[in-house]
């Protein structure tokens, strides 16, 4: 998927030692990180709300079991990490499933848990920057408002208002809609005082 490739191209995973993924799904992204990008010895911690997804990720990451752990996400939303413990905090198409209060809490937790030189790397559905992609997104949102289950409970979300520029430096941002469904990639760094 182009947005995931773009995220990877700007995340410097080759330098990562401690990766946390929120909403790891089936673990495909994590497996790709281990197979192609992470340096030897890097640690991965994934979380997901679904026990089925957790089991799938654990199975997929079995060859990396010494470096990888997958846990259930908590309610209320809190990352299972110490302050500044992770140098990459990643979420790929999971924030678009969250209520706005949880998106805000995600950024609180990301700020608490990211190391000084770390990066937050996000991909999410977006309203779109072109007329055709906005039309598709508008139809999607209308469906979401009436029958959220039909679109898997996810909808386009504008992350921009959640990203406090006093706390975050935007290292990379791109909106793309290669198949008319727009997505947005963000790479954020902690702003130093
Ligand atoms: C659309 S899937 C994307 C999965 C994966 N990141 C990928 O790109 O293939 C969204 C994932 O977020 C998970 N999720 C939803 N709400 C969550 C929450 N509050 N905490 C953690 N994971 C959550 C879902 O269970 C699902 O696995």
């Amino acid at each position: 998927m182009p947005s995931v490739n773009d995220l990877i191209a700007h995340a410097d995973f080759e330098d990562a030692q401690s990766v946390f993924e929120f909403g790891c799904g089936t673990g495909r992204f994590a497996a790709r990180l281990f197979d192609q990008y992470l340096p030897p010895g890097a640690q991965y911690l994934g979380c997901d709300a679904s026990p089925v997804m957790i089991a799938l990720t654990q199975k997929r990451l079995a060859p990396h079991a010494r470096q990888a752990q997958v846990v259930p996400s908590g309610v209320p939303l809190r990352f299972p990490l110490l302050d500044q413990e992770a140098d990459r905090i990643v979420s790929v198409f999971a924030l678009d499933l969250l209520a706005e209060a949880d998106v805000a809490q995600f950024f609180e937790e990301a700020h608490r848990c990211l190391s000084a030189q770390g990066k937050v790397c996000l991909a999410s559905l977006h309203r779109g920057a072109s007329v055709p992609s906005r039309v598709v997104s508008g139809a999607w949102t209308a469906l979401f408002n009436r029958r959220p289950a039909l679109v898997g409970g996810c909808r386009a979300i504008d992350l921009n208002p959640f990203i406090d520029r006093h706390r975050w430096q935007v290292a990379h941002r791109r909106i793309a809609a290669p198949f008319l469904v727009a997505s947005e990639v963000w790479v954020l760094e902690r702003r130093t005082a």
Side-chain angles (χ1 to χ4, degrees), residues 77 94-106 144 153 155 157 159 162:
L77 192 153
L95 297 188
D96 23 42
L97 284 156
L98 300 186
E100 291 199 353
D102 285 338
V103 177
Q105 180 62 11
F106 173 94
F144 172 83
R155 81 303 192 197
I157 184 167
L159 295 182
F162 296 95

Side-chain angles (χ1 to χ4, degrees), residues 120-183:
V120 174
C121 310
L122 307 171
S124 63
L125 291 173
H126 188 267
R127 285 194 320 268
S130 67
V131 172
S133 60
R134 277 180 184 266
V135 169
V136 171
S137 174
W140 185 309
T141 303
L143 205 51
F144 172 83
N145 289 335
R146 286 178 178 207
R147 306 276 295 276
L150 281 182
V151 285
C154 58
R155 81 303 192 197
I157 184 167
D158 184 5
L159 295 182
N160 194 35
F162 296 95
I163 297 170
D164 179 351
R165 302 302 203 275
H166 294 103
R167 302 177 112 190
W168 298 107
Q169 174 124 354
V170 179
H172 175 70
R173 180 186 184 186
R174 180 171 295 165
I175 299 168
F179 312 113
L180 289 182
V181 177
S183 56

